[in-house]
Amino acid sequence: MEERQDPIRDILDRLASENYVGDPAIATSIYMAQTLERPLLIEGRAGVGKTEIANVMARLLDTRLIRLQCYEGLDVSTALYEWNYQRQMLRIKLNEQADISAQEQEEEIFGESFLLKRPLLAALTEPDKPPVLLIDEVDRADEEFEAFLLEVLSDFQATIPEIGTIKAKHRPFVVLTSNRTRDLSDALRRRCLYLWIDYPDIDKELRIVRAKVNGIEDRLARQVVRFVDGARRTGLDKVPGIAETLDWARAMVVLHLDHLDYEAVEQTLGAIIKDADDLERFRRQAIEEILAKI
């Protein structure tokens, strides 16, 4: 009898092939999002690898990654579409010399050739295969924009008044990320599957460092990971994420260091501590204490 392949194990192996150290919760969420064709909302602290999941999935699926970076004041014209007004004005001037009715002219200048596709519309109209649509840091956008997303994520369609409703040719694989700077609406959450990613434990972060930092010695990798873990427990305002751990580890390799001591930490601390107040307090209170423990 043929052995049935475990889809979760398969996704974990494929993530590992792209040097992404996942876990069963991440792999299961990806599998459900693909199988059920539901958006995946990933929340967690900054720097824990939320965005990287979308990047890795685009590579694994061999498809286009379309990214919408959210921010306060983001509106429909930036996220969905806007008209190429310069081309429209040029066409109107050219049409003035021809015998074209006002209705024909309006139909022409509000055609798709004059439409500038922004990330959401580009994802809905991708012609060849389903893209990966990354809506990054959705919590930074206004509540009004969040409400607009509901139509897109519910029916994978958008309405352009001059053209009509455009439905997705291929339903995209949607990943939304949030750092929880504000609460997202229940309506948006209900339309998504949910994944929470926290800072990794020491063993997992060590595997990440080994996978991502070429040439690092095992002793140094262990010390770096344990030091960052200790730093996260000191009440910093800007807690270092995995990205900072990797930056610091790479800095150590570039500087040809093979172990941590006070001087090495003092010289390179800016790779993991990114706030002036944190830096001053950490230098004064925490370096020697953490080094003593590791």
Side-chain angles (χ1 to χ4, degrees), residues 243-276:
E244 282 72 34
T245 304
L246 295 174
D247 284 345
W248 198 34
R250 293 185 183 111
M252 294 291 175
V253 173
V254 169
L255 293 171
H256 306 290
L257 299 173
D258 59 4
H259 71 283
L260 289 186
D261 55 29
Y262 188 92
E263 184 179 359
V265 173
E266 171 73 16
Q267 290 177 350
T268 59
L269 199 54
I272 57 171
I273 308 295
K274 306 293 181 68
D275 178 83

Side-chain angles (χ1 to χ4, degrees), residues 73-92:
L74 178 65
D75 57 15
V76 174
S77 64
T78 305
L80 185 63
Y81 79 97
E82 57 184 329
W83 294 105
N84 190 330
Y85 295 112
Q86 292 182 332
R87 285 194 61 198
Q88 286 176 322
M89 293 302 298
L90 179 60
R91 175 57 65 184
I92 290 172

Side-chain angles (χ1 to χ4, degrees), residues 63-200:
T63 191
R64 181 184 175 194
L65 173 68
I66 300 175
R67 177 174 180 171
L68 173 63
Q69 178 63 53
C70 297
Y71 54 87
E72 187 177 353
L74 178 65
D75 57 15
V76 174
S77 64
T78 305
L80 185 63
Y81 79 97
E82 57 184 329
W83 294 105
N84 190 330
Y85 295 112
Q86 292 182 332
R87 285 194 61 198
Q88 286 176 322
M89 293 302 298
L90 179 60
R91 175 57 65 184
I92 290 172
K93 291 181 179 179
L94 292 174
N95 287 345
E96 288 176 352
Q97 305 172 9
D99 185 19
I100 299 178
S101 68
Q103 181 178 353
E104 289 176 325
Q105 178 166 273
E106 182 176 349
E107 290 176 355
E108 180 182 10
I109 65 172
F110 287 108
E112 289 196 24
S113 61
F114 292 88
L115 191 65
L116 297 176
K117 296 179 181 179
R118 298 312 183 198
L120 292 181
L121 186 58
L124 294 178
T125 58
E126 181 69 15
D128 298 325
K129 60 194 309 186
V132 173
L133 172 61
L134 169 61
I135 304 175
D136 208 10
E137 297 184 316
V138 66
D139 53 318
R140 294 185 180 275
D142 300 326
E143 293 181 6
E144 292 78 6
F145 180 77
E146 184 183 325
F148 160 73
L149 278 178
L150 296 178
E151 178 189 9
V152 178
L153 298 182
S154 295
D155 303 314
F156 288 92
Q157 65 181 32
T159 300
I160 300 176
E162 298 86 352
I163 295 179
T165 299
I166 296 178
K167 294 186 177 182
K169 295 183 177 180
H170 305 285
R171 194 163 181 150
F173 179 83
V174 182
V175 174
L176 303 93
T177 71
S178 167
N179 294 332
R180 302 192 70 178
T181 58
R182 71 169 177 85
D183 290 334
L184 302 177
S185 70
D186 290 341
L188 181 62
R189 290 180 180 277
R190 284 197 300 269
R191 283 162 176 77
C192 304
L193 299 175
Y194 182 77
L195 173 64
W196 167 260
I197 301 181
D198 207 342
Y199 295 120

Side-chain angles (χ1 to χ4, degrees), residues 208-226:
I208 294 171
V209 170
R210 287 168 173 163
K212 295 285 189 178
V213 183
N214 295 326
I216 191 168
E217 295 186 8
D218 190 65
R219 176 193 180 192
L220 177 60
R222 290 179 180 275
Q223 289 180 335
V224 165
V225 168
R226 291 180 64 191

